[in-house]
Amino acid sequence: MAKPEMKSEADAFRAAFHERMHANNMYGLWELASQMTAHPQPKMIPHMWPWSVTESIIAESAQAVPVGDERRALQLFNPGLGGRWATTNNLIAAVQILLPGEVARAHRHTPTAIRFIIEGTGAYTAVDGERVYMAPGDLILTPSWSWHDHGNETQERVVWMDGLDIPLIASMEAMFFQFYSAQQVPATRPANASKQLHGHAHISPTWVKEKSMASPLLLYSWEQTSQALAALRDHEGSPFDGVLLEYRHPQTGGPVLPTMACMVQLLRPGERTKAHRHTGSAVYYVVNGTGATIIDGQQFKWSKGDIVALPPWALHEHANSSANSDAVLFSIQDLPVLNALGLYYEEALTENGGHQNVTSTFKAD
């Protein structure tokens, strides 16, 4: 009869100890060990925003929402993140529209940003007094804490995909935001000046000694990007990504932004890549073509304009479903952060010839 009493006393002592410990904002490692998982278990889920849906909401937003102090930008929230302002755990993607004659007020913030132009030619983003003019397929950078505004002096609407590291900056509690004192920042440099100075492959001006963490080249034109893809389309490429190219800092050869890598990849007709997974997340925008991405067995059938979110450590492979046309995907990835912290890991699928079995197909709500 003594043993149950001793056990009860021990349990009572243990419970009182834990209560006192928790009341003093302490937790035992034995209570937290389950969070040290054998591999990443992200809360975000794979998801796709079909262009057929996104485009209709864009059209409605042009009538329903005027451009005021904030942009007319549709933020893509990942359904797995519980209403967090995030497309992946570290990145947010959005689709923004600017109508003829509109100006989006100048501001700056610590999150870095990119714009990948979807439609419209001749509008601009002004970055620290330099107007960078847009055309479809162009990549435009807005480094951290740079004054920037957008203007559309054309007769057509302009649409682009935004990519920012807002979730990462918010988690680090390093968020700063400031409006400029006027609607626009006065022009202090010629239009597209950074492209004239830094936009020459493998050749850099010797008199520019400063090497910023963000690329000094603000405009990566689709003309040059498409030429590079075409020049390399007959190379074997990556077994996991096809002909995959990274936009680079012209002075250092590193990523264009310290927290965000920008990639573009070509999938040739009928090409199907092998599956792999890696730490770090990505958001894909379909520039052109039709195909599918399989993520952890779920198939995402895509076409031009669709946007797909890839979680960390998720098996994924891509396929071009066309027998006679190329497919091109643009992506933003948080790879530079993983590399800087020594946390980038990659693993190939070795079973089933390197391909996944499709267990389900994504359907938009």
Side-chain angles (χ1 to χ4, degrees):
M1 298 294 293
K3 288 184 179 179
E5 184 180 348
M6 290 176 60
K7 182 179 179 181
S8 177
E9 289 178 359
D11 288 346
F13 176 77
R14 187 176 292 109
F17 164 73
H18 281 83
E19 183 177 350
R20 182 166 179 264
M21 179 176 61
H22 297 163
N24 284 278
N25 302 302
M26 300 180 195
Y27 282 80
L29 179 58
W30 56 91
E31 299 176 287
L32 306 172
S34 62
Q35 297 184 34
M36 300 288 283
T37 56
H39 56 79
Q41 296 181 359
K43 293 181 180 178
M44 71 161 287
I45 62 173
H47 192 74
M48 185 170 79
W49 291 264
W51 178 248
S52 58
V53 176
T54 305
E55 198 279 335
S56 65
I57 296 176
I58 287 171
E60 289 178 23
S61 74
Q63 297 178 322
V65 183
V67 171
D69 284 345
E70 276 306 339
R71 280 80 165 117
R72 189 192 292 109
L74 306 170
Q75 309 293 302
L76 307 183
F77 277 37
N78 190 285
L81 292 176
R84 225 179 118 205
W85 187 7
T87 310
T88 79
N89 47 312
N90 288 329
L91 302 171
I92 181 73
V95 180
Q96 185 167 170
I97 178 173
L98 203 63
L99 298 177
E102 289 185 332
V103 172
R105 181 179 172 180
H107 65 203
R108 63 179 178 178
H109 40 66
T110 43
T112 57
I114 66 94
R115 331 280 170 194
F116 188 83
I117 312 307
I118 295 174
E119 67 174 67
T121 300
Y124 63 85
T125 289
V127 182
D128 284 337
E130 175 186 334
R131 286 191 177 188
V132 183
Y133 283 90
M134 305 173 174
D138 286 354
L139 169 65
I140 297 175
L141 306 184
T142 306
S144 173
W145 210 234
S146 298
W147 291 113
H148 57 285
D149 56 80
H150 312 297
N152 184 1
E153 298 173 345
T154 75
Q155 298 304 308
E156 59 180 332
R157 76 175 190 179
V158 178
V159 182
W160 65 81
M161 185 184 87
D162 289 318
L164 298 96
D165 55 3
I166 284 174
L168 176 65
I169 302 305
S171 69
M172 299 175 69
E173 299 199 352
M175 187 72 70
F176 289 87
F177 176 93
Q178 184 179 9
F179 280 118
Y180 190 67
S181 56
Q183 188 178 37
Q184 294 184 278
V185 178
T188 55
R189 292 181 289 184
N192 291 346
S194 71
K195 188 174 188 295
Q196 295 170 14
L197 190 61
H198 297 286
H200 310 284
H202 310 300
I203 303 174
S204 298
T206 59
W207 61 90
V208 179
K209 303 301 182 184
E210 180 185 0
K211 290 182 172 62
S212 60
M213 295 182 70
S215 170
L217 177 60
L218 301 177
L219 172 64
Y220 292 76
S221 71
W222 180 246
E223 180 183 8
Q224 289 182 314
T225 301
S226 60
Q227 287 174 359
L229 289 172
L232 294 169
R233 75 180 311 280
D234 293 330
H235 285 248
E236 184 177 359
S238 162
F240 308 111
D241 291 296
V243 178
L244 177 67
L245 307 181
E246 181 177 358
Y247 297 84
R248 292 288 189 174
H249 190 304
Q251 295 170 309
T252 67
V256 291
L257 296 165
T259 56
M260 199 184 326
C262 294
M263 312 273 192
V264 65
Q265 64 195 99
L266 173 71
L267 300 171
R268 291 152 288 207
E271 183 171 11
R272 182 183 181 186
T273 69
K274 292 186 176 182
H276 73 151
R277 57 187 172 193
H278 48 68
T279 50
S281 58
V283 180
Y284 293 95
Y285 170 76
V286 183
V287 181
N288 55 54
T290 58
T293 296
I294 303 171
I295 305 175
D296 282 341
Q298 186 177 20
Q299 181 175 240
F300 293 80
K301 294 182 178 180
W302 42 253
S303 58
K304 179 179 172 61
D306 293 346
I307 297 174
V308 180
L310 172 71
W313 209 243
L315 278 171
H316 59 285
E317 58 190 280
H318 311 288
N320 180 352
S321 60
S322 172
N324 48 37
S325 299
D326 291 337
V328 177
L329 305 176
F330 169 82
S331 64
I332 54 174
Q333 306 191 21
D334 50 11
L335 181 62
V337 179
L338 279 298
N339 280 333
L341 297 175
L343 295 175
Y344 181 77
Y345 301 98
E346 186 175 0
E347 181 178 274
L349 178 66
T350 56
E351 298 84 9
N352 198 31
H355 296 294
Q356 304 170 76
N357 293 317
V358 175
T359 56
S360 65
T361 298
F362 175 84
K363 293 183 180 179
D365 295 335

